Amino acid sequence: MRAIRRFTVRTVLPAPLAPLGELASNLRWSWHKPTRDLFESMDPAAWVAVHREPGALLGALSTERLEALAADPRFVERVEACAEDLHTYLERPGWYATLGADAPATVAYFSMEFGITGALPQYSGGLGILAGDHLKSASDLAVPIVGVGLFYATGYFKQSLSRDGWQQETYPVLDPDGLPLSQLRETDGSAAKVSVDLPGGRRLWAQVWKAQVGRVPLLLLDSDVEENDDAARGVTDRLYGGGGEHRLQQELLCGIGGVRALRLHARLTGTPQPEVYHTNEGHAGFLSVERIREHVERGLSFDEALEAVRAATVFTTHTPVPAGIDRFGRDQIELYFGGDNPLPGVPVERILALGAEDYEGGDPGVFNMAVMGLRLAQRANGVSQLHGAVSRGMFDGLWPGFDAPEVPIASITNGVHAPTWVAPEVISMGRQYIGKEIARDGLGFEKVGQVPDEEIWRTRRVLRGRLVEDARRRLKLSWLQRGASEAELAWTKDVLDPDVLTIGFARRVPTYKRLTLMLRDPERLKAMLLHPQRPVQLVIAGKSHPADETGKRLIQQMVRFADDPEVRHRIVFLPNYDITMALSLYPGCDVWLNNPLRPFEACGTSGMKAALNGGLNLSILDGWWDEWYDGGNGWAIPTADGVEDPEHRDDLEAAALYDLVENSVAARFYDRDERGLPARWLEMVRHTLASLGPKVLASRMVTDYVEQLYVPAARAGRAALAGSGAAAKDLAAWKSTVRRAWPSVRVDHVESSGVGDSAEIGDVVHVRGFVSLGELSTDDVEVQVVHGRVNDSDELRPSGTVSLHHGESFGDGRHRFEGEFTLRQTGPFGYTVRVLPRHAGLATPAELGLVANA
């Protein structure tokens, strides 16, 4: 029989234990060890049985056990101390308070997934983990962020393996009442809901769940409500599931519904409306369309509303792979925003233009979510320095006439939340030998030399041993799920060795991440695994998207190799890679391997987590490793750039990987001194912590976002809307004028003096540019001389720009501008003159994509 209704019965705590409810409901426990220790002490066996989730533990304990704990004065005292610590954490001003009135009152952070804790499985991989770390670090720094996303009834999926190593997916249904969530409710106690109109007179309703992430509320929209028909109820059934229309409806709900959920949350709680809107990848881009609608409703025109929205919007792109960008058919957008379902004040033609690939190489039949995100955000960024450069090249069609380096996409390199990812033993070691600050804000890394070699090595062995035990348990469970019997699994008790060099590799399994690169020469890999003096062991994990058959085949290939009785004690593939597995995997590995096809790794933060635990990176120079590898904090795998045959390139890079492991990594790990310690290895561990520790922190990342993007966006947003939107109106009118007049703008003639046939360093070049501006005034433009090295084709690689000042007007829109610059480079050199639009409301001169070159 099946139940006709399902609900969760919550525990009523004895009065002395009442604070446990708040401690369990605030996800700060996921990165606060004293709180986790408190819950574990209530019943260690039950704690493990409920997968270390406080809310589930409280529901699992008997009334008698709770009453016994309530009668224990020492336990009650611990409860009160943890509750007081939480209140202090929530109420202290924090770093953000030092920024003053310029800082935005609230920032809305939209993401399709959030990886906070294994107890709230609403993520698939790196994008979600990054979003979770962003919220946690914002909480630690007291940045007033509100997260916005969707609640997925089955999360992503649980991965298991068939007998022959094929990935299998299951989708267990999550009960939100049994998760660390609360429901937004109206003052009368009814569930608060938002809705989005759909074609055909349908309406998509959603209730709103709230996860409290320290200081940060995370709003998750859930379409499984009785007002919806069956199709609408399934919109939030699973993460990244379903076809194009299903995904489009999810993104409409996240973007448009998410803005409406923010309005609902502000009304119910009295918190300020966001001043800045941050779109984490293009999925939630429709949030800006909804905000345009709001401004039009208040009296602005579409163009004026667009400028007001752009000013306060930040867009972060995470993919360097065009195939990873969501693209919908124009007909789908017309269906959802036109016909019988228009968005008031927002013509469907204008929406289509925002996502149009109307540039060289684009597809006129599609609507590109990343393109819309960039057009609707005045500030955009990639997630590492290299990824920023790749993104500028990917999207330079939006700014014709500008070289890729001038495309207005900045870079803020990702970081990781140390209190979540650093093993407690590493934190304890730091506190003992360096001081309490080592565990917070990245302070103390420069003092890692104070930690004795013996203590670092002992701690590393403890962490490696914990990983070995966890891997053995998971491997046995996986084989039981694959159909093996208990009797044939005795060998799993001896898998891996806590004293053997351990290399980890765990990530999503798209083709470009090259899970199987290490298998290019299976016999050579076997020789490394079974080396009599310098053996290596590998712990591997990763999920392939359910629809990615190629990725599944790569996993099967890896699993079949790891199943070989000859090597299965030295290499394991662990299914269902998630946060819980990662918490033992990252600290337990001596080396973290990453071998993507360069430059397709946007950032790759898993290696950062390993580094904070004293692991060394062995990686292709891609993502964050490209900018922070210094020759002493790990190893760089040489890349065969320029080799067009992908098979040959893989062979070359795999051979380089094997050489490094055999001749550098393993050799150094097993090179022991008279104390039995690998002194040179420990030097690298120390250097890794000192050189990377302060850089890879999410607190550094969030600080960068606040200072470089959020504060400028808040200023611009306020300015745009001041005086009933006067600045937005002025900017919209000015842009219209400039676009209309720009075809008449040109550089007519350039003259220079000050340099003869033999130019020398220090010579001053005087430049005069004669330009035609048509109906534009000199205040509407900036005339620049751009100078730098040139190649054999006279292509300029700019090294500097100088603004020329207005010298004379000749009538008919013709003017002379002049200025000078000093030669400071040797070799082939050149310059040119160009005209750019200029307005105080622009974030960069390239914003309009307009330029007139000589």
Side-chain angles (χ1 to χ4, degrees), residues 349 541 578 776:
E349 295 79 12
D578 63 2
L776 298 182

Side-chain angles (χ1 to χ4, degrees), residues 243-259:
E245 187 166 13
H246 185 265
R247 176 71 75 91
L248 177 56
Q249 290 177 352
Q250 286 189 335
E251 298 187 1
L252 288 166
L253 182 60
C254 186
I256 296 175
V259 172

Side-chain angles (χ1 to χ4, degrees), residues 22-255:
E22 182 182 9
L23 290 169
S25 64
N26 191 311
L27 291 174
R28 186 199 181 213
W29 60 257
S30 67
W31 72 90
H32 189 247
K33 187 174 185 296
T35 302
R36 294 197 305 276
D37 290 344
L38 174 71
F39 282 105
E40 181 178 15
S41 69
M42 296 176 73
D43 189 325
W47 176 246
V48 173
V50 299
H51 307 291
R52 298 174 172 82
E53 202 277 286
L57 177 72
L58 295 180
L61 295 180
S62 67
T63 301
E64 291 76 15
R65 177 58 179 160
L66 291 172
E67 289 176 349
L69 289 168
D72 180 348
R74 286 181 296 181
F75 183 78
V76 171
E77 185 177 339
R78 289 179 63 198
V79 170
E80 293 171 347
C82 278
E84 183 178 351
D85 180 79
L86 176 61
H87 293 155
T88 299
Y89 171 86
L90 297 175
E91 294 165 6
R92 71 181 181 218
W95 166 81
Y96 194 76
T98 66
L99 300 182
D102 263 3
T106 306
V107 175
Y109 182 90
F110 285 69
S111 181
M112 208 65 167
E113 50 176 307
F114 287 91
I116 309 293
T117 166
L120 190 62
Q122 301 290 297
Y123 62 94
S124 73
L127 178 70
I129 300 300
L130 180 279
D133 282 7
H134 196 103
L135 298 194
K136 293 174 187 176
S137 291
S139 174
D140 292 342
L141 295 167
V143 180
I145 278 181
V146 179
V148 182
L150 301 181
F151 175 80
Y152 303 101
T154 61
Y156 190 38
F157 68 88
K158 283 190 175 294
Q159 178 197 47
S160 60
L161 301 172
S162 69
R163 186 72 191 219
D164 66 351
W166 190 255
Q167 173 179 291
Q168 298 177 316
E169 302 95 23
T170 55
Y171 297 88
V173 177
L174 303 170
D175 177 6
D177 284 323
L179 297 174
L181 298 170
S182 60
Q183 191 171 29
L184 283 192
R185 294 190 177 276
E186 298 287 356
T187 53
D188 63 2
S190 62
K193 293 172 184 165
V194 298
S195 67
V196 176
D197 289 339
L198 298 178
R202 297 171 62 224
R203 180 168 290 183
L204 174 61
W205 288 90
Q207 58 191 341
V208 184
W209 300 98
K210 181 170 77 170
Q212 194 63 41
V213 187
R215 295 171 179 258
V216 173
L218 168 59
L219 308 180
L220 300 173
L221 282 71
D222 174 13
S223 70
D224 188 14
V225 296
E226 60 186 12
E227 291 90 343
N228 286 332
D229 57 34
D230 288 345
R233 291 186 81 143
V235 166
T236 58
D237 57 352
R238 64 184 62 170
L239 175 59
Y240 302 145
E245 187 166 13
H246 185 265
R247 176 71 75 91
L248 177 56
Q249 290 177 352
Q250 286 189 335
E251 298 187 1
L252 288 166
L253 182 60
C254 186

